[in-house]
Every structure is written in C-alpha cells, then in structure tokens.
C-alpha cells in the first residue's frame, strides 16, 4: 500500500506528433495534455527531452564536468543531438571547438523539426 503523501503524475497524451519504426531506437514525439511539459521526446520508452523543462538537466550535464577541468578548450559531446547541451557548452569562454557524435541522424532531424530553438546553431556533417 502506498503512503498517502506520495504524488504521481500521469500525463495524458494529446497527440502523437512523430513515430518511426525502429532501426536503432524507437522514437516517439508526444504532445501531452494537462502537464507543464509541452512536447516531450521519448526514446525507447525513456523521456529524453521536454519542451518546457530541459534546462536543469542540461545545466547539470554541462557545467559540472566543464567546471572540473581548468580551461577546457575542445569538447566531444556523445549524444546530445537536441542541441541543448551544446548551447550550454558554448557559453564557456574557454571552449573553442565542440564535436557532437550522435548515434542516429533521425534523432537530429526530429529534434531540429520539433524543437528548433536549441538547434539554431547546429548543422549535420
């Protein structure tokens, strides 16, 4: 039996904006009702990105590692195809070069279409 003070958030899907048969990973892009999250991106059943609440995750994944290295210059970001962490990395004055390695270009394209603001400085090469 659950204690009475536990809260559970059960988001309701308003619309499925994107889904693709799995090649490497199973992506879903959903618009949720009755939540403050906005669009959410789910990959293999795990929440990856939300439209309105991504900043704290990106801050932690970026600033903790970079602040532990004196004057980081070149950064290799593995994953991070949504562009948010890349944007946070670029705020460090000592960083002059960022390489991003993403497993699937489909992720990059979905992020660019549905979450354009973090992607504004990224190009696929």
């Amino acid at each position: 039996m659950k204690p009475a003070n536990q809260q559970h958030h059960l988001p309701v899907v308003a619309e499925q904006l994107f889904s693709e048969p799995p090649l490497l990973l199973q992506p879903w892009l959903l618009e949720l009702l009755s939540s403050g999250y906005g669009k959410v991106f789910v990959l293999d059943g795990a929440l990856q990105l939300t439209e309105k609440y991504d900043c704290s995750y990106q801050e932690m994944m970026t600033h903790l590692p970079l602040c532990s290295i004196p004057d980081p210059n070149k950064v290799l970001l593995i994953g991070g195809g949504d562009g948010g962490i890349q944007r946070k990395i670029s705020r460090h004055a000592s960083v002059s070069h960022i390489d991003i390695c993403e497993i699937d270009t489909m992720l990059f394209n979905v992020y660019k279409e549905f979450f354009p603001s973090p992607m504004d400085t990224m190009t696929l090469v």
Side-chain angles (χ1 to χ4, degrees):
M1 180 185 274
K2 292 185 284 190
N5 63 352
Q6 285 188 345
Q7 291 185 10
H8 297 277
H9 300 276
L10 300 172
V12 177
V13 175
E15 181 181 1
Q16 182 169 329
L17 302 172
F18 176 85
S19 182
E20 189 168 289
L23 295 174
L24 294 172
L25 304 165
Q26 174 63 58
W28 298 304
L29 183 71
L30 309 170
E31 181 79 44
L32 299 181
L33 280 178
S34 67
S35 78
Y37 297 112
K39 289 182 233 161
V40 299
F41 189 71
V42 178
L43 190 59
D44 283 346
L47 180 66
Q48 300 294 309
L49 177 69
T50 68
E51 184 176 34
K52 297 181 181 172
Y53 188 73
D54 60 347
C55 153
S56 62
Y57 172 78
Q58 294 167 353
E59 297 278 336
M60 177 189 68
M61 293 297 290
T62 303
H63 301 307
L64 289 176
L66 289 178
C67 289
S68 68
I69 302 168
D71 298 320
N73 184 267
K74 294 180 182 179
V75 176
L76 171 61
L77 175 58
I78 299 175
D82 66 4
I85 293 175
Q86 177 261 343
R87 186 179 55 204
K88 302 285 185 194
I89 291 170
S90 67
R91 292 181 180 161
H92 285 256
S94 64
V95 174
S96 63
H97 185 86
I98 305 168
D99 284 318
I100 300 175
C101 179
E102 183 58 71
I103 191 171
D104 193 338
T105 57
M106 176 272 306
L107 296 175
F108 183 87
N109 295 330
V110 169
Y111 286 135
K112 191 141 183 115
E113 180 178 349
F114 292 100
F115 300 94
S117 63
M119 301 290 291
D120 55 5
T121 61
M122 294 178 64
T123 55
L124 184 63
V125 291

